Amino acid sequence: MDPVSTTPVAQSGMLLAGSIAALASALWLLLPKASDTIASRRVGALLGALALAGFAATGRSLGCVGEDAVFLTVAAVAVVSGLATIVTRSPVYAAIWFAMALAGVSGVLLVLGAQFLGVATIVVYAGAILVMFLFVLMLAQPSGMASYDRVSSEPMLAAAAGAVLLGLLTLSIGRLSAAEPAACCRMPSRVEAAAAAATGTVPEASPLPAESGGNEVAHLGAQLFGRHLFAVEVAGVLLLVALVGAIAVVSRGEATEADHRREDR
Amino acid sequence: MIPATLLTNALLVGAVLFCLGLVGILTRRNLIVMFLSAELMLQGVSVTLVAWSRYHGDWGGQVLVVFVLTVAACEAAVALVLVLQAFARTGRLDAAAWQSLREDNLPRAIDRELPAGDSVVPTWPRLTPAGVRPEADASQSLERDHV
């Protein structure tokens, strides 16, 4: 028997291991450190692309990657922008790349059929939180490239940890789709479907994405302000407390500075 | 309800975003980039929650993501105020500027040598000047010409 020929599962396992190693070395090459050259960064980018292709191929061999071109596009935008967020040197560019990643994530949420959350991600994150980040950068950024933006702490260990964690998650997600009937995660929906079929009623909370349309937001709102009304109230209080706390921290800092100045005089 | 392939794809995207954010928050030293990495991890978790919520036809996941958004907004407000205060004290956005807060028996983190390749100052685009240049007091100027 030919020792080279292996089972598809073993092949995809080897591919997964290779992808983990390639992603780890790509992240390590891309992160800021002393022995940086343009060439090493290019090699890192190439390795990262290879690793992501390996992850995608692993997923395909485990029956994961679908045909939905829109989903693949927005997912690629989210993942590549997320990578650029953590490897880019300038924090302003990191914030802009994060906005791009948010656009990708919002697209993923829209493809999944969560219209309200897709829009809320753009409005709340990109519109409010990210602008706040950019304002703070404008107030606090020293001119020129700071030294601490060009080195990172323990890039090798962190890259290996991240890549191994991603490999483990990929494995467990692949197990979800590989174990078709026995997977525990399938049971509730099947039970619900059986119950709905038995009683002859349509399950209220599971409209098909194609025909859900405007009902989506209405359902979410009904859930939020019906079953989770108390949590909404608590969230409102949390927002108020955060607002008051932020203002208090700022004004107390200014007060102590003024006190110091008074003492100096 | 979404098909199982879309569920696994979305879970993969969420896992990738989470791991990237994890690597970022472990390695980067700029406080603001660390917070951006934390937000990236939150995005990964949000994608995962929405995928499961849509798969099961249960609204709990999406409701949870709404609260994740709320808490992220609160967290960003308070954290950025603290970052501004830290910057006012040290003049740097460096997390290692606060290593005097470490335990006594831990070694001091030592700066590695800086890379040579990045010392080239990039050229940024400039707008064409229009009209008379105003009299500017250089000491009062808040203008920054570097990103």
Side-chain angles (χ1 to χ4, degrees):
Chain A
M1 180 180 172
D2 189 7
V4 181
S5 71
T6 46
T7 61
V9 175
Q11 276 176 0
S12 61
M14 281 161 55
L15 186 58
L16 185 63
S19 305
I20 291 173
L23 185 63
S25 38
L27 283 173
W28 181 66
L29 283 172
L30 285 170
L31 282 168
K33 57 188 180 306
S35 58
D36 258 356
T37 57
I38 301 286
S40 76
R41 272 191 231 159
R42 282 188 187 146
V43 170
L46 191 65
L47 265 180
L50 279 179
L52 289 182
F55 277 118
T58 311
R60 179 180 295 279
S61 74
L62 296 171
C64 286
V65 172
E67 306 77 27
D68 197 343
V70 178
F71 181 84
L72 284 183
T73 310
V74 290
V77 167
V79 168
V80 171
S81 313
L83 181 65
T85 304
I86 68 164
V87 300
T88 190
R89 268 70 176 167
S90 161
V92 177
Y93 283 169
I96 306 279
W97 274 116
F98 182 65
M100 201 66 197
L102 285 177
V105 166
S106 155
V108 170
L109 295 185
L110 287 177
V111 171
L112 286 175
Q115 288 101 345
F116 175 76
L117 289 174
V119 174
T121 298
I122 289 289
V123 171
V124 176
Y125 260 103
I129 297 182
L130 201 69
V131 171
M132 204 152 64
F133 271 92
L134 285 172
F135 265 108
V136 169
L137 275 174
M138 189 183 75
L139 291 174
Q141 177 73 0
S143 75
M145 286 271 212
S147 63
Y148 47 86
D149 280 332
R150 295 195 277 144
V151 289
S152 42
S153 46
E154 301 293 348
M156 201 186 302
L157 282 179
V164 168
L165 177 60
L166 182 55
L168 286 178
L169 287 174
T170 311
L171 264 187
S172 52
I173 292 168
R175 266 189 54 214
L176 280 184
S177 62
E180 273 289 335
C184 56
C185 60
R186 297 292 166 80
M187 295 313 285
S189 57
R190 293 202 167 186
V191 170
E192 277 171 15
T199 55
T201 57
V202 180
E204 145 198 52
S206 56
L208 287 172
E211 51 208 37
S212 60
N215 286 342
E216 191 75 20
V217 181
H219 273 293
L220 184 60
Q223 282 281 319
L224 258 183
F225 294 103
R227 194 174 154 197
H228 301 278
L229 182 59
F230 183 67
V232 171
E233 301 283 347
V234 172
V237 174
L238 180 67
L239 280 168
L240 179 66
V241 168
L243 180 67
V244 173
I247 295 172
V249 171
V250 168
S251 55
R252 199 174 60 179
E254 283 173 358
T256 51
E257 279 168 21
D259 290 346
H260 285 318
R261 251 177 260 132
R262 210 177 303 134
E263 283 166 13
D264 288 345
R265 270 182 225 146
Chain B
M1 298 268 282
I2 58 172
T5 54
L6 189 53
L7 168 75
T8 48
N9 288 342
L11 290 182
L12 277 176
V13 172
V16 170
L17 288 179
F18 185 86
C19 291
L20 287 176
L22 179 73
V23 173
I25 205 169
L26 284 176
T27 56
R28 296 308 300 265
R29 284 176 48 188
N30 192 314
L31 288 173
I32 292 188
V33 181
M34 287 171 76
F35 275 114
L36 282 179
S37 305
E39 304 282 340
L40 203 60
M41 292 172 81
L42 283 181
Q43 289 300 308
V45 173
S46 297
V47 169
T48 306
L49 280 173
V50 170
W52 280 118
S53 156
R54 291 292 297 162
Y55 180 69
H56 285 309
D58 185 90
W59 293 92
Q62 296 193 42
V63 170
L64 195 50
V65 173
V66 171
F67 292 118
V68 166
L69 275 177
T70 313
V71 174
C74 296
E75 170 227 329
V78 176
L80 288 177
V81 166
L82 290 176
V83 166
L84 269 183
Q85 295 290 316
F87 178 78
R89 290 189 183 218
T90 62
R92 313 173 68 192
L93 286 173
D94 190 1
W98 295 91
Q99 62 174 322
S100 59
L101 298 177
R102 72 191 186 281
E103 295 279 333
D104 287 335
N105 53 355
L106 289 181
R108 182 179 176 77
I110 299 169
D111 268 350
R112 304 180 182 184
E113 58 171 316
L114 284 178
D118 278 349
S119 57
V120 181
V121 177
T123 55
W124 305 107
R126 289 183 176 280
L127 292 177
T128 315
V132 184
R133 189 178 184 83
E135 296 287 328
D137 185 359
S139 64
Q140 297 286 315
S141 172
L142 287 173
E143 176 192 349
R144 299 184 192 283
D145 42 0
H146 297 300
V147 176

